[in-house]
Every structure is written in C-alpha cells, then in structure tokens.
Amino acid sequence: NKLFVEEAIGAEYGEGFETFRADGPLKVDVDYLNEKLQDGFLQRIRYAMKPDEAYGLIFSWDNVVAGTRALKRKAWEQLAFEEGKDIPEEGDMHKLLFYAGADYVLHKFFLSDKAENELNRLKLRFSQIYYDNLVRLEKPMDGLNDWLEAVYTARIPCAVVSSLDRRNMLEALERMGLSKYFQAIVTEEDGMESIAHRFLSAAVKLDRKPSKCVVFEDDPRGVTAAHNCTMMAVALIGAHPAYDLGQADLTVANFSELSVINLRRLFANKGSSFMDLQKQIIEKTPPKRKLTIDTI
C-alpha cells in the first residue's frame, strides 16, 4: 500500500502520466490538458454569467479533509507499546512519524534488535492498527463542512485525492457526511505515481484544465506539486507552520477564513488566464527599404 510511502512530488518539468485508449497509449501531461480542456463556446457563455463554476477544487485527504495525522500517531504509539518501544516526544522522531515512509521508521526505531524478516510483520500490523482507527473517524476537519456547502451552492466541482484505497475512502466520506460534495475521487486504484499525477488525474475527472484548478494542501511538497501542474495552491496551517508554506498562493488557519470570492481573487492578477503558459513572441526587425532612381 502506498499509504505509508513518501511519494515523489512529480511534474517538475510538466511531465504527466500515461493512460490507455482503444487506439493505443496516450501521454497526459500539463500542457496537453491545458490545451485539450479548453472551454467550449457554450461553456464560455455560461462561465461569463457564473464565473465561479469555471474553477475546480482539489482537496488532499490527509489533514485537509480528515485529521489523519492523529490517526497515524496513535498507530505508531500502539505499535511501539506492543513491541516494548518508547517513542521520543521531541527531536527528529516526532517529524519522522508523520512524514517519513513506514519502512524508514521501522528500520530506524523498531528493527534495531530484530531480524530483517520482521519488517513485513510490523508493516502489516501497523496498517491494521491504522485502518482500525480510520473506521472510527466520523468528523472532518474544522470548518470543512461549511466551506464545502458554500462551494456546492456555487456549483463548483470538487475532487478528493489520496493513496487510500477506494472502498475505505468512500466509506469514510459517507461516515463524515461529505459524499455529495465530491464529484470525483482519486485513490490507490488509479495507479498514480506521484502527488502531481494525482492532481492531474483529478483535473481530468472534473473536466477542468489544470490552470483553472485550486489545490487545498497542508504540506509544502503538495504546494510544489500543485504549482508544477500550473494550479493554484491554498495551504492550511497546522502540520506545518506558516513560514514553511510561503510558496502557497493563499495561507489560512482553517476553512472558516475562506469565502467563494477568494477563489476569484486568486486568479485576479492577470485575469482568468493568469497561470496559462504563454508563447514567447520573437520580434523581427522589418527589412530596410532600398532607395532606387524611381523612388527619388
């Protein structure tokens, strides 16, 4: 399961992922989506009257939709208790529990006096504890319900992305009463290899070009992935302090600080095409006029 593996950011140079069609494989990247998902004539008329509907919102599951940071910590604490280990409260260990891959944490703090063949057993047990806690999760992040209701009323499509499997994702959204707000989900079954690829997959499912999408993240790596996809990024302060999220286009403490007008302001700098890739125009000097006898 990719849930406990540190994923690559992805799309550093606009590269995307490969999908398959009846006529063969298709390479889907940032430039391709920004070009192919252009608004049609009727869509442009509709968006001129209702500009908010032109945007697409993409939410990360971890610590944006659900408070999974606490779930992961409980899972590590229970595993440490079962294995007779003590987890330090301060230092690098505190960060590693949340941001490092499970293999690295297990090698560093759980397998020092155990054989290598214990790794798979510990990984399986850690996953079991995490999912046991996940099925009891019933509340979303503070203010998220009201924010989703506001964008739902404005008819702005939303997607949620995660490395979680589809069944557990759908069940968790149902328990939290958020199912109706998300028109698309990207899960482990989609086979995305990086954070940016998940964002691009969500844009395809929402039928919005990446440059019209806004990503809600709490991790600086997710903010970088959004910008690699020419998307705007709204960062939530919490797991990371505000100074670590300086690259985000907007930073908020919680969803209650947001309003739909904030979405328009994100794109107001240079209009709706602010993040679109522009072709460089090479100016050519006109040829000099030759004087002849007839001209004189």
Side-chain angles (χ1 to χ4, degrees), residues 73-129:
R73 180 171 181 82
K74 288 180 181 179
W76 281 124
E77 289 176 346
Q78 184 173 339
L79 182 63
F81 176 77
E82 294 176 359
E83 298 296 320
K85 297 286 185 177
D86 294 325
I87 297 180
E89 292 295 331
E90 299 179 356
D92 295 338
M93 181 58 183
H94 185 71
K95 293 183 179 180
L96 291 176
L97 291 178
F98 303 118
Y99 309 122
D103 285 8
Y104 181 82
V105 177
L106 290 173
H107 274 293
K108 189 172 181 64
F109 296 98
F110 287 85
L111 293 175
S112 57
D113 57 350
K114 295 181 181 293
E116 183 69 19
N117 57 13
E118 289 286 293
L119 177 62
N120 289 333
R121 181 187 67 82
L122 292 174
K123 287 174 63 176
L124 178 60
R125 180 56 185 154
F126 176 66
S127 298
Q128 289 174 340
I129 297 172

Side-chain angles (χ1 to χ4, degrees), residues 4-197:
F4 309 113
V5 177
E6 187 178 21
E7 290 184 291
I9 294 175
E12 285 83 357
Y13 303 100
E15 66 271 15
F17 56 90
E18 194 172 63
T19 185
F20 294 92
R21 294 292 185 267
D23 55 349
L26 175 66
K27 185 69 175 180
V28 178
D29 57 24
V30 177
D31 291 344
Y32 176 85
L33 292 179
N34 275 326
E35 180 182 354
K36 293 298 182 180
L37 296 178
Q38 293 284 353
D39 303 331
F41 175 72
L42 295 179
Q43 287 177 314
R44 289 197 298 270
I45 294 176
R46 180 175 182 84
Y47 297 157
M49 297 184 294
K50 298 182 178 181
D52 298 327
E53 296 183 16
Y55 308 128
L57 308 186
I58 302 173
F59 295 80
S60 287
W61 167 258
D62 292 317
N63 304 314
V64 176
V65 174
T68 57
R69 192 165 180 261
L71 298 183
K72 187 176 286 189
R73 180 171 181 82
K74 288 180 181 179
W76 281 124
E77 289 176 346
Q78 184 173 339
L79 182 63
F81 176 77
E82 294 176 359
E83 298 296 320
K85 297 286 185 177
D86 294 325
I87 297 180
E89 292 295 331
E90 299 179 356
D92 295 338
M93 181 58 183
H94 185 71
K95 293 183 179 180
L96 291 176
L97 291 178
F98 303 118
Y99 309 122
D103 285 8
Y104 181 82
V105 177
L106 290 173
H107 274 293
K108 189 172 181 64
F109 296 98
F110 287 85
L111 293 175
S112 57
D113 57 350
K114 295 181 181 293
E116 183 69 19
N117 57 13
E118 289 286 293
L119 177 62
N120 289 333
R121 181 187 67 82
L122 292 174
K123 287 174 63 176
L124 178 60
R125 180 56 185 154
F126 176 66
S127 298
Q128 289 174 340
I129 297 172
Y130 180 85
Y131 280 106
D132 287 343
N133 292 328
L134 181 65
V135 297
R136 293 192 289 268
L137 185 65
E138 296 182 353
K139 293 183 179 180
M141 296 292 287
D142 292 340
L144 177 62
N145 219 320
D146 293 337
W147 169 241
L148 288 176
E149 184 64 35
V151 298
Y152 182 79
T153 303
R155 300 177 64 87
I156 305 174
C158 298
V160 57
V161 300
S162 173
S163 294
L164 201 65
D165 62 280
R166 189 174 301 273
R167 180 178 65 85
N168 280 286
M169 168 73 77
L170 293 174
E171 290 177 355
L173 291 175
E174 187 68 29
R175 285 194 306 273
M176 293 187 290
L178 303 178
S179 297
K180 74 171 185 177
Y181 299 120
F182 294 104
Q183 288 70 47
I185 62 172
V186 178
T187 58
E188 182 185 22
E189 288 80 356
D190 289 281
M192 297 295 105
E193 298 179 354
S194 67
I195 303 172
H197 291 176

